[in-house]
Amino acid sequence: MAIRKCALEDLAVRVDKDFWAGKRVLVTGHTGFKGGWLTLWLKEMGARVTGIALPPDTTPNLFEATNLQEGISHVELDIRNATAVAEVIAQAQPQIVLHLAAQPLVRQSYTDPLDTWSTNVMGSANLLEILRKSDSVKAIIVITTDKVYQNQEWWFPYRENDALGGHDPYSASKAATEILTSSYRSSFFNQRGVALATARAGNVMGGGDWSADRLIPDAIRTWQAGEPLSLRNPEAIRPWQHVLEPISGYLTLAQKLWTSPNLSDAYNFGPEATQHINVRTIVDKARQFYGRGDYVVTPATDNLHETQILTLDTSKTRQRLGIKSVWSIDQCIQHTMTWYRAFENGQSAYQLCKSDISDFESME
């Protein structure tokens, strides 16, 4: 079916609280950083959330800091355990599925590539195979990454129809997940009228991320310890955005898929071109808003491949879904560093997240 080209004014509606109230939603990976923010927002809108994930892998972590288990159905299991996943889905009868469970770290994928491949590819295959037999599900979004593209180190932003690839095991496994999802969409879900899309998001920041080998969490840890942040590649360029940007995009995409399954496709979720900036600039701005901190450049000695330039073309997402960036890069960093500073001073993580969501909603 042809997709009608609409003016952006016709597609301006973003996250609709009334739509999500009472919806049965399955979130995989809800104990992680992005999954935690997504689940918190869904819970605030009155969705009936079931979460499948492994326990949080850092201390502290957003899941425990926000007491996110309260008010949802929280199930700890490995997404590769097909029998257990099938039992949860049979019980929850989800209408919408947001799949974020993954091994999400590039450098970790070099340490344990088989775990990365099995989690990201076979875990996703398990889920899709179970969902294709479900009578309750109407819309599924598989979250991958901006790193699914065969990176040519060019300045042109990558579009959804550019070649998939991946040098490191993480990126390659996510590219494979895109191919897997496309196959299931064509082979099974299209025939049933069930929407199945993928979301490729750029580099995210936001309060409550304490993962290893991520720029802002690394900065927070070292600056709180009174030490300088070590930068491996200060001139590397990435599509930076606050975590609420892609999450609001996922929610908006799900709303549109609910009534228009013909929108099932792959979508880039990233910032405006002005936010495709280098690591050094991000750190300089983070120091400014955090109020302290320094850095030193210490090039990596492990010879692991690291992409120098990665940017995304989001014109398809804007044209089909009416989604564009809400916060400037300064607003993204300011909200992030303010969150960490306030949490360090004893403020409630849950209330800090709610405040950021409220501020974000007011600007949509």
Side-chain angles (χ1 to χ4, degrees):
M1 180 184 298
I3 297 174
R4 182 176 66 94
K5 291 185 177 180
C6 306
L8 287 182
E9 295 87 338
D10 298 332
L11 295 166
V13 175
R14 289 292 293 270
V15 179
D16 182 352
K17 295 181 181 181
D18 292 336
F19 172 87
W20 290 100
K23 286 289 190 304
R24 300 188 305 277
V25 184
L26 174 68
V27 179
T28 72
H30 67 294
T31 59
F33 169 55
K34 285 173 72 176
W37 274 92
L38 173 61
T39 301
L40 191 151
W41 198 346
L42 285 167
K43 188 167 76 166
E44 284 297 302
M45 294 189 291
R48 296 163 57 187
V49 181
T50 298
I52 293 175
L54 295 174
D57 59 2
T58 65
T59 302
N61 58 78
L62 187 66
F63 181 75
E64 293 174 344
T66 57
N67 195 24
L68 197 54
Q69 181 172 347
E70 213 172 86
I72 69 169
S73 176
H74 164 63
V75 184
E76 288 188 3
L77 60 83
D78 193 315
I79 197 73
R80 291 169 291 188
N81 185 338
T83 300
V85 172
E87 290 174 356
V88 173
I89 289 173
Q91 178 68 31
Q93 291 292 295
Q95 298 165 295
I96 297 173
V97 177
L98 297 150
H99 175 42
L100 290 85
Q103 192 298 100
L105 301 175
V106 170
R107 296 178 77 82
Q108 175 63 25
S109 75
Y110 282 107
T111 301
D112 196 346
L114 289 182
D115 179 73
T116 300
W117 278 99
S118 63
T119 300
N120 295 353
V121 179
M122 291 311 301
S124 299
N126 281 340
L127 181 67
L128 292 176
E129 178 64 14
I130 295 161
L131 291 174
R132 80 177 179 93
K133 303 170 185 176
S134 168
D135 294 327
S136 64
V137 67
K138 289 191 62 175
I140 307 161
I141 301 176
V142 176
I143 284 73
T144 59
T145 176
D146 58 350
K147 298 173 180 63
V148 297
Y149 296 104
Q150 183 177 319
N151 194 297
Q152 305 290 340
E153 298 288 355
W154 56 31
W155 284 97
F156 302 106
Y158 291 96
R159 299 165 297 179
E160 289 86 348
N161 60 350
D162 283 327
L164 299 176
H167 187 285
D168 58 88
Y170 167 75
S171 301
S173 72
K174 285 295 192 174
T177 301
E178 287 280 350
I179 296 170
L180 165 76
T181 304
S182 177
S183 171
Y184 264 80
R185 179 168 53 237
S186 300
S187 300
F188 305 113
F189 289 98
N190 281 351
Q191 288 86 334
R192 296 177 51 210
V194 175
L196 174 57
T198 58
R200 307 165 181 178
N203 287 47
V204 296
M205 64 181 75
D209 188 5
W210 285 280
S211 300
D213 293 320
R214 285 185 183 160
L215 183 62
I216 296 299
D218 285 349
I220 294 297
R221 274 188 292 271
T222 55
W223 294 346
Q224 287 180 349
E227 300 171 357
L229 171 67
S230 293
L231 296 184
R232 295 190 307 271
N233 194 0
E235 307 311 319
I237 294 173
R238 298 289 185 271
W240 306 95
Q241 58 186 331
H242 192 275
V243 65
L244 290 177
E245 299 277 8
I247 286 174
S248 68
Y250 306 158
L251 294 171
T252 304
L253 174 57
Q255 291 167 194
K256 294 183 180 297
L257 291 173
W258 184 265
T259 54
S260 301
N262 60 302
L263 287 171
S264 296
D265 209 339
Y267 294 94
N268 285 339
F269 290 87
E272 305 300 323
T274 55
Q275 293 179 209
H276 296 165
I277 59 180
N278 65 30
V279 167
R280 190 190 301 274
T281 302
I282 292 291
V283 173
D284 283 337
K285 290 178 180 292
R287 294 165 64 202
Q288 173 191 344
F289 290 118
Y290 194 56
R292 66 183 194 270
D294 205 349
Y295 66 89
V296 294
V297 177
T298 53
T301 59
D302 52 21
N303 294 319
L304 298 182
H305 175 80
E306 189 161 18
T307 298
Q308 188 68 19
I309 301 171
L310 175 58
T311 60
L312 293 177
D313 184 317
T314 58
S315 56
K316 176 179 170 181
T317 302
R318 291 196 308 272
Q319 292 164 6
R320 289 194 183 183
L321 307 177
I323 294 173
K324 58 182 179 179
S325 296
V326 173
W327 281 344
S328 69
I329 189 61
D330 280 3
Q331 289 172 311
C332 294
I333 299 173
Q334 182 174 13
H335 277 273
T336 298
M337 304 316 288
T338 299
W339 194 104
Y340 282 110
R341 193 171 60 243
F343 182 76
E344 185 180 350
N345 291 332
Q347 293 190 35
S348 160
Y350 198 98
Q351 291 303 318
L352 290 170
C353 291
K354 283 182 61 178
S355 177
D356 276 354
I357 291 171
S358 178
D359 289 346
F360 188 87
E361 288 176 324
S362 71
M363 295 184 66
E364 283 193 296

